[in-house]
Amino acid sequence: MGVSGSGKSSTARLLALRLGVPFADADDMHPRANIVKMRSGRPLDDTDREPWLAEVGHWLRDRAADGTGGVVACSALKRRYRDSLRAAAPRIYFLLLTADRDELLARTAQRGEHFMPASLLDSQLAALELLEPDEPGTVLHGTHGPGQAADLAISSLDEVIAGEQD
């Protein structure tokens, strides 16, 4: 999870590959109206995000039900969005990728075909609510490349699993 340009899609793809589980990019689950709105430079509001979060939650719930688990790249900027995803998949674990605003701007400006323009970065940063102590997850600064971030995520997951077995 994280704002645009944080590396969540690249890291999530690699993490899913290393774990041998399905991957999904929540960007692909947005209704057409959301994509049109973002492409025009207007930020989404909570009402826009509701059907999208429901779709992401369904994907997570289905992966849990079929026993495969999965990794999804999703902004999940606010606590209530993460609560919605956790309601669908109670064993969810969040990996919040962060970076400095200038780095995020540089990354988003370099993405050519993505519907999320760099002009919306500040609205995402304003909406971002960091993980709270009772939320299962870890935070990594964006100085880690996707490979190192995936390795650190796996280590965090291993610790969680070991703690559950104690």
Side-chain angles (χ1 to χ4, degrees), residues 1-144:
M1 61 170 280
V3 299
S4 184
S6 62
K8 63 187 170 293
S9 295
S10 298
T11 300
R13 267 190 200 91
L14 189 53
L15 180 59
L17 181 66
R18 290 185 181 173
L19 293 172
V21 299
F23 164 78
D25 194 324
D27 283 350
D28 297 334
M29 298 179 199
H30 273 293
R32 180 89 181 119
N34 285 6
I35 293 170
V36 169
K37 188 172 184 177
M38 287 184 282
R39 206 171 251 145
S40 72
R42 295 177 311 178
L44 300 179
D45 59 29
D46 289 350
T47 302
D48 297 322
R49 287 186 178 100
E50 283 178 24
W52 170 68
L53 287 167
E55 183 68 23
V56 176
H58 289 276
W59 189 89
L60 289 165
R61 185 190 64 232
D62 292 348
R63 299 300 77 73
D66 68 19
T68 64
V71 176
V72 63
C74 179
S75 54
L77 299 175
K78 295 182 180 181
R79 168 70 188 245
R80 70 173 159 250
Y81 304 164
R82 296 187 299 271
D83 288 345
S84 172
L85 297 176
R86 194 171 25 262
R91 294 198 52 180
I92 195 169
Y93 188 83
F94 297 102
L95 174 63
L96 171 58
L97 299 174
T98 65
D100 298 328
R101 182 182 178 277
D102 290 342
E103 176 66 21
L104 294 166
L105 273 175
R107 291 178 187 178
T108 55
Q110 292 174 357
R111 297 190 315 190
E113 296 298 317
H114 199 276
F115 57 80
M116 177 73 175
S119 63
L120 292 180
L121 177 61
D122 287 331
S123 69
Q124 283 200 323
L125 288 169
L128 178 63
E129 296 172 358
L130 298 178
L131 290 174
E132 295 181 25
D134 65 325
E135 291 183 276
T138 192
V139 179
L140 293 177
H141 193 272
T143 55
H144 302 291

